[in-house]
Amino acid sequence: MTDTIDAQPTVAPIHSVEQTRKVVTEIPGPKSRELHERRRAVVADGVSSALPVYIERANGAILVDVDGNRFVDFGAGIGVTTVGHTEQSVVAAAADQLQDVIHTLFTITPYEEYVRVAELLAAHTPGDWAKKTVLVNSGAEAVENGVKIARKHTGRRAVAVLDHAYHGRTNLTMAMNYKAHPYATGFGPFAGDVYHAPNSYPYRDGLDGHEAAARTIAYLEKVVGAADLACLVAEPIQGEGGFMVPADEYLTTLQAWCTEHGVVMIADEIQSGMARTGRFFASEHFGWQPDLVLSAKGIAGGLPLAAVTGRAEIMDSAHAGGLGGTFGGNPVACAAAIAVFESIERNGLLQEAERIERTLTAGLERLAKRYDVIGDIRGKGAMIAIELIQPGTAVTAKQPNPEAVGAIVEFAAQRGILFLSAGTWGNVLRFLPSLAMTDALIEDALTVLDDALAALG
Ligand SMILES: *Cc1c(COP(=O)(O)O)cnc(C)c1O
């Protein structure tokens, strides 16, 4: 049973795909349009698709649709296929595990793969104290469990989050998001005792880390009171909110305040973690050692898995039987996650993330000199964004320009490039590619982006 963990891959179906873009039909093509009609009859309208091209195969940084178009993927399923689509060692590990055991339920009869993932998370999350982990299925479920554990540990009720945060779509996490629409509108009533504190947004607030932290702390002390605050949840680099990189010392100042007042500080690394930013966890960029770290998206190469990892004494406050769930830590997802950790090391993926940052930001800086619609370039590693504003308003209002983002995304899609939007006002264009994204593909995408910016007029 244990031999699969360190064994070389025994199943390696190679479905490799040429790493170039190719558009052979109109977008969406006829077969995608046909599938879309079928979908409209049976898939709930609340589930929408940003680009309704139906994908048949994916490899590396390329998606192939049912009409034979090849798309350069700057979304990676929102930062999930960080090691690359169908990375062969991940495919092989999952395939091997499927033959051995698909499910037992760890809370009935456990298995080694779950333990190994917990060991890897303990070794790679920031902080060199004793750590423990619980595995669950989704990011939102990790957030829910982080809050549960923090409340049990502190005996306190209140939960604080930051402005522009995104934490998921369950009832509690809907209350934790900044944006009501589309995540929460009409879906209430929502969980109470959730407080939204000001964040650090250097492009718009102009505050240094200490000033921004002082503003956040003043809010928490005034509106909540430290004595009632169980936890403060923060994304080290905000994802859906628009890739805001906080000012230096913002997060560490908040952590020091939390520690002083017995508040559990939780890093939501669901989008920023697992090598995405050139570190295993983005918290490392800021010298932040959170009490608890939440992982999901990139952890298992595309299989559903999520985790809460943190200080053993906090994690162990939950009583036996208090944590779990039927599919949490599924063996196949765990086997894939082990392969992801190995792939990050073996393929030097932290360096690949830094390479992507260099190539992408250099190109974006060149474009920003020519197009004043680009107000800000920010991010780390393979988590880079541009914030678009109405030209001429840069100095004062920095008026958001969601129309420009929409036009660029559409222009690029027609040419075989998948870009994603983000941002509280929808005015952020984010680049969240897999670490298999080559410099050649980035340069190609920058050329298309140049044309898209020129076409804005
Ligand atoms: C995606 C995301 C979540 C929610 O994860 P799901 O797996 O979609 O539930 C939570 N926090 C952040 C920062 C995310 O990017």
Side-chain angles (χ1 to χ4, degrees), residues 18 76 88 139 234 264 274 284 295 316 403:
E18 191 185 319
Q88 287 303 299
V264 178
M274 293 305 296
E284 296 168 49
S295 308
D316 281 342
E403 299 79 15

Side-chain angles (χ1 to χ4, degrees), residues 269-289:
E269 290 258 18
I270 289 166
Q271 194 159 149
S272 59
M274 293 305 296
R276 164 80 27 211
T277 67
R279 303 283 188 277
F280 255 98
F281 290 91
S283 300
E284 296 168 49
H285 288 290
F286 311 100
W288 180 26
Q289 302 192 329

Side-chain angles (χ1 to χ4, degrees), residues 138-141 143 166-169 235 239-240 268 270-271 296-297:
S138 70
E141 206 187 342
V143 177
Y166 177 79
H167 297 296
R169 292 175 179 274
E235 299 156 87
E240 304 307 297
D268 181 343
I270 289 166
Q271 194 159 149
K297 292 196 160 86

Side-chain angles (χ1 to χ4, degrees), residues 127-324:
D128 56 8
W129 42 76
K131 293 176 205 142
K132 295 201 176 181
T133 284
V134 56
L135 297 178
V136 291
N137 302 295
S138 70
E141 206 187 342
V143 177
E144 294 259 359
N145 277 277
V147 171
K148 265 168 74 168
I149 293 164
R151 280 178 163 156
K152 188 78 200 285
H153 176 72
T154 58
R156 302 174 184 175
R157 58 178 177 79
V159 174
V161 293
L162 298 177
D163 287 348
H164 304 281
Y166 177 79
H167 297 296
R169 292 175 179 274
T170 57
N171 185 264
L172 172 63
T173 55
M174 279 192 290
M176 294 169 70
N177 297 335
Y178 183 70
K179 231 161 116 163
H181 192 78
Y183 307 123
T185 309
F187 296 142
F190 302 109
D193 268 325
V194 177
Y195 298 88
H196 294 252
N199 71 336
S200 168
Y201 191 164
Y203 176 59
R204 288 188 181 272
D205 65 25
L207 302 179
D208 70 26
H210 289 282
E211 293 163 342
R215 185 174 65 168
T216 306
I217 290 165
Y219 172 93
L220 295 175
E221 287 182 335
K222 182 69 74 189
V223 178
V224 192
D228 276 327
L229 186 57
C231 58
L232 169 59
V233 187
E235 299 156 87
I237 298 175
Q238 294 184 308
E240 304 307 297
F243 288 16
M244 282 77 101
V245 180
D248 284 344
E249 298 186 56
Y250 175 70
L251 293 165
T252 46
T253 305
L254 292 182
Q255 178 66 62
W257 180 83
C258 284
T259 303
E260 189 189 335
H261 293 90
V263 176
V264 178
M265 193 165 172
I266 303 177
D268 181 343
E269 290 258 18
I270 289 166
Q271 194 159 149
S272 59
M274 293 305 296
R276 164 80 27 211
T277 67
R279 303 283 188 277
F280 255 98
F281 290 91
S283 300
E284 296 168 49
H285 288 290
F286 311 100
W288 180 26
Q289 302 192 329
D291 298 311
L292 302 182
V293 174
L294 312 178
S295 308
K297 292 196 160 86
I299 193 172
L303 276 85
L305 187 70
V308 184
T309 303
R311 290 179 180 272
E313 68 277 15
I314 298 177
M315 293 298 295
D316 281 342
S317 350
H319 48 273
L323 305 177

Side-chain angles (χ1 to χ4, degrees), residues 9-34:
T10 56
V11 185
I14 306 287
H15 290 294
S16 69
V17 169
E18 191 185 319
Q19 299 293 298
T20 55
R21 77 187 154 99
K22 188 175 88 174
V23 176
V24 294
T25 67
E26 53 187 332
I27 304 295
K31 288 183 181 161
S32 276
R33 288 204 303 273
E34 208 177 297

Side-chain angles (χ1 to χ4, degrees), residues 5 17 85 93 109 168 186 188 193 223 247 250 253 281 283 295 336 338 353 378 380 387 397 430 443 456:
I5 287 190
V17 169
H85 285 288
T109 49
D193 268 325
V223 178
Y250 175 70
T253 305
F281 290 91
S283 300
S295 308
I338 295 163
R378 57 180 179 248
K380 304 243 183 232
E387 178 162 351
R430 60 174 151 176
E443 295 296 354
L456 293 174

